[in-house]
Amino acid sequence: QVQLVESGGGLVQAGGSLRLSCAASGTIFSINTMGWYRQAPGKQRDLVAAITNTGSTNYADSVKGRFTISRDNTKNTLYLQMNGLKPEDTAVYYCNLRFDIRSGVVYWGQGTQVTVSS
C-alpha cells in the first residue's frame, strides 16, 4: 500500500556533503513521522533523524549539527542534508514512515548506500 524509495547515496570523501531523498507513494495518512535510519555492517539499525508532519525534529547525537532533516508534505518526500561527512557515517541509509494514528504501521525503504572515504 505504501512504498518508500530512497535516492542520493554515493561515495564521497570525508568532509563532503550528500543529500538523500525519499519519495513516499500510496495512501499516506497526514499524521505521521518520517525518519532516516542507518545500518553499518555488523551494527544495529539506528535512528539518524526523524521529523513529524508538523515539523518537529529529532537527531542522533552523532549527527546533530551536521545533518538536517526536512520534508515536503505536498510531494510526500523526505530529505536528509548531510554535511561534514565522516568515515563513521558509512552505512546503508533507510527511509522510514510511521503512521501515528490507527495501527501505527511502519514502512521501510530499500536503503541507499553512503560511503565516506578518508
PDB file of all heavy atoms in Angstrom, residues 99-112:
ATOM      1  N   PHE A  99       2.942   5.705  10.677  1.00  0.00           N
ATOM      2  CA  PHE A  99       1.666   6.362  10.891  1.00  0.00           C
ATOM      3  C   PHE A  99       1.424   6.495  12.385  1.00  0.00           C
ATOM      4  O   PHE A  99       1.472   5.510  13.121  1.00  0.00           O
ATOM      5  CB  PHE A  99       0.538   5.570  10.237  1.00  0.00           C
ATOM      6  CG  PHE A  99       0.589   5.539   8.742  1.00  0.00           C
ATOM      7  CD1 PHE A  99       0.103   4.443   8.046  1.00  0.00           C
ATOM      8  CD2 PHE A  99       1.099   6.607   8.027  1.00  0.00           C
ATOM      9  CE1 PHE A  99       0.136   4.415   6.665  1.00  0.00           C
ATOM     10  CE2 PHE A  99       1.150   6.589   6.648  1.00  0.00           C
ATOM     11  CZ  PHE A  99       0.655   5.480   5.966  1.00  0.00           C
ATOM     12  N   ASP A 100       1.161   7.704  12.832  1.00  0.00           N
ATOM     13  CA  ASP A 100       0.958   7.962  14.255  1.00  0.00           C
ATOM     14  C   ASP A 100      -0.519   7.950  14.635  1.00  0.00           C
ATOM     15  O   ASP A 100      -0.907   8.461  15.689  1.00  0.00           O
ATOM     16  CB  ASP A 100       1.606   9.292  14.642  1.00  0.00           C
ATOM     17  CG  ASP A 100       3.107   9.270  14.465  1.00  0.00           C
ATOM     18  OD1 ASP A 100       3.711   8.205  14.719  1.00  0.00           O
ATOM     19  OD2 ASP A 100       3.680  10.307  14.081  1.00  0.00           O
ATOM     20  N   ILE A 101      -1.321   7.371  13.778  1.00  0.00           N
ATOM     21  CA  ILE A 101      -2.724   7.122  14.038  1.00  0.00           C
ATOM     22  C   ILE A 101      -3.023   5.694  13.612  1.00  0.00           C
ATOM     23  O   ILE A 101      -2.162   5.001  13.079  1.00  0.00           O
ATOM     24  CB  ILE A 101      -3.645   8.113  13.283  1.00  0.00           C
ATOM     25  CG1 ILE A 101      -3.393   8.034  11.768  1.00  0.00           C
ATOM     26  CG2 ILE A 101      -3.454   9.525  13.804  1.00  0.00           C
ATOM     27  CD1 ILE A 101      -4.372   8.840  10.940  1.00  0.00           C
ATOM     28  N   ARG A 102      -4.260   5.285  13.859  1.00  0.00           N
ATOM     29  CA  ARG A 102      -4.672   3.919  13.528  1.00  0.00           C
ATOM     30  C   ARG A 102      -3.743   2.916  14.191  1.00  0.00           C
ATOM     31  O   ARG A 102      -3.488   2.987  15.390  1.00  0.00           O
ATOM     32  CB  ARG A 102      -4.760   3.735  12.007  1.00  0.00           C
ATOM     33  CG  ARG A 102      -5.850   4.570  11.352  1.00  0.00           C
ATOM     34  CD  ARG A 102      -5.799   4.485   9.835  1.00  0.00           C
ATOM     35  NE  ARG A 102      -6.068   3.136   9.360  1.00  0.00           N
ATOM     36  CZ  ARG A 102      -7.273   2.637   9.124  1.00  0.00           C
ATOM     37  NH1 ARG A 102      -8.361   3.385   9.335  1.00  0.00           N
ATOM     38  NH2 ARG A 102      -7.408   1.395   8.679  1.00  0.00           N
ATOM     39  N   SER A 103      -3.223   1.983  13.433  1.00  0.00           N
ATOM     40  CA  SER A 103      -2.429   0.903  13.994  1.00  0.00           C
ATOM     41  C   SER A 103      -0.964   1.257  14.211  1.00  0.00           C
ATOM     42  O   SER A 103      -0.227   0.476  14.815  1.00  0.00           O
ATOM     43  CB  SER A 103      -2.522  -0.327  13.098  1.00  0.00           C
ATOM     44  OG  SER A 103      -1.958  -0.070  11.825  1.00  0.00           O
ATOM     45  N   GLY A 104      -0.534   2.415  13.734  1.00  0.00           N
ATOM     46  CA  GLY A 104       0.853   2.803  13.857  1.00  0.00           C
ATOM     47  C   GLY A 104       1.787   1.968  13.007  1.00  0.00           C
ATOM     48  O   GLY A 104       2.945   1.752  13.380  1.00  0.00           O
ATOM     49  N   VAL A 105       1.305   1.517  11.866  1.00  0.00           N
ATOM     50  CA  VAL A 105       2.093   0.671  10.984  1.00  0.00           C
ATOM     51  C   VAL A 105       3.331   1.412  10.500  1.00  0.00           C
ATOM     52  O   VAL A 105       3.324   2.633  10.335  1.00  0.00           O
ATOM     53  CB  VAL A 105       1.243   0.183   9.793  1.00  0.00           C
ATOM     54  CG1 VAL A 105       0.802   1.371   8.936  1.00  0.00           C
ATOM     55  CG2 VAL A 105       2.001  -0.832   8.962  1.00  0.00           C
ATOM     56  N   VAL A 106       4.407   0.659  10.298  1.00  0.00           N
ATOM     57  CA  VAL A 106       5.695   1.209   9.896  1.00  0.00           C
ATOM     58  C   VAL A 106       6.094   0.659   8.536  1.00  0.00           C
ATOM     59  O   VAL A 106       5.922  -0.527   8.263  1.00  0.00           O
ATOM     60  CB  VAL A 106       6.780   0.875  10.932  1.00  0.00           C
ATOM     61  CG1 VAL A 106       8.152   1.325  10.454  1.00  0.00           C
ATOM     62  CG2 VAL A 106       6.441   1.516  12.261  1.00  0.00           C
ATOM     63  N   TYR A 107       6.648   1.510   7.695  1.00  0.00           N
ATOM     64  CA  TYR A 107       7.140   1.126   6.383  1.00  0.00           C
ATOM     65  C   TYR A 107       8.610   1.486   6.246  1.00  0.00           C
ATOM     66  O   TYR A 107       9.080   2.463   6.838  1.00  0.00           O
ATOM     67  CB  TYR A 107       6.341   1.826   5.273  1.00  0.00           C
ATOM     68  CG  TYR A 107       4.886   1.463   5.254  1.00  0.00           C
ATOM     69  CD1 TYR A 107       3.956   2.214   5.961  1.00  0.00           C
ATOM     70  CD2 TYR A 107       4.430   0.359   4.530  1.00  0.00           C
ATOM     71  CE1 TYR A 107       2.615   1.884   5.952  1.00  0.00           C
ATOM     72  CE2 TYR A 107       3.092   0.027   4.515  1.00  0.00           C
ATOM     73  CZ  TYR A 107       2.187   0.787   5.226  1.00  0.00           C
ATOM     74  OH  TYR A 107       0.852   0.451   5.211  1.00  0.00           O
ATOM     75  N   TRP A 108       9.316   0.691   5.447  1.00  0.00           N
ATOM     76  CA  TRP A 108      10.736   0.895   5.207  1.00  0.00           C
ATOM     77  C   TRP A 108      11.036   0.954   3.723  1.00  0.00           C
ATOM     78  O   TRP A 108      10.412   0.259   2.922  1.00  0.00           O
ATOM     79  CB  TRP A 108      11.564  -0.244   5.803  1.00  0.00           C
ATOM     80  CG  TRP A 108      11.545  -0.301   7.296  1.00  0.00           C
ATOM     81  CD1 TRP A 108      10.715  -1.051   8.071  1.00  0.00           C
ATOM     82  CD2 TRP A 108      12.402   0.411   8.187  1.00  0.00           C
ATOM     83  NE1 TRP A 108      11.006  -0.856   9.400  1.00  0.00           N
ATOM     84  CE2 TRP A 108      12.033   0.031   9.499  1.00  0.00           C
ATOM     85  CE3 TRP A 108      13.445   1.315   8.016  1.00  0.00           C
ATOM     86  CZ2 TRP A 108      12.675   0.541  10.623  1.00  0.00           C
ATOM     87  CZ3 TRP A 108      14.076   1.823   9.128  1.00  0.00           C
ATOM     88  CH2 TRP A 108      13.693   1.437  10.416  1.00  0.00           C
ATOM     89  N   GLY A 109      12.002   1.778   3.362  1.00  0.00           N
ATOM     90  CA  GLY A 109      12.515   1.783   2.016  1.00  0.00           C
ATOM     91  C   GLY A 109      13.557   0.699   1.839  1.00  0.00           C
ATOM     92  O   GLY A 109      13.875  -0.050   2.767  1.00  0.00           O
ATOM     93  N   GLN A 110      14.096   0.596   0.637  1.00  0.00           N
ATOM     94  CA  GLN A 110      15.065  -0.449   0.324  1.00  0.00           C
ATOM     95  C   GLN A 110      16.475  -0.109   0.774  1.00  0.00           C
ATOM     96  O   GLN A 110      17.337  -0.995   0.834  1.00  0.00           O
ATOM     97  CB  GLN A 110      15.059  -0.740  -1.181  1.00  0.00           C
ATOM     98  CG  GLN A 110      15.868   0.238  -2.036  1.00  0.00           C
ATOM     99  CD  GLN A 110      15.203   1.590  -2.212  1.00  0.00           C
ATOM    100  OE1 GLN A 110      14.076   1.818  -1.780  1.00  0.00           O
ATOM    101  NE2 GLN A 110      15.914   2.511  -2.862  1.00  0.00           N
ATOM    102  N   GLY A 111      16.720   1.137   1.078  1.00  0.00           N
ATOM    103  CA  GLY A 111      18.023   1.570   1.533  1.00  0.00           C
ATOM    104  C   GLY A 111      18.883   2.120   0.417  1.00  0.00           C
ATOM    105  O   GLY A 111      18.753   1.725  -0.739  1.00  0.00           O
ATOM    106  N   THR A 112      19.760   3.038   0.771  1.00  0.00           N
ATOM    107  CA  THR A 112      20.720   3.586  -0.170  1.00  0.00           C
ATOM    108  C   THR A 112      22.082   3.664   0.507  1.00  0.00           C
ATOM    109  O   THR A 112      22.191   4.069   1.668  1.00  0.00           O
ATOM    110  CB  THR A 112      20.279   4.973  -0.689  1.00  0.00           C
ATOM    111  OG1 THR A 112      21.191   5.436  -1.686  1.00  0.00           O
ATOM    112  CG2 THR A 112      20.199   6.001   0.433  1.00  0.00           C
TER     113      THR A 112
END
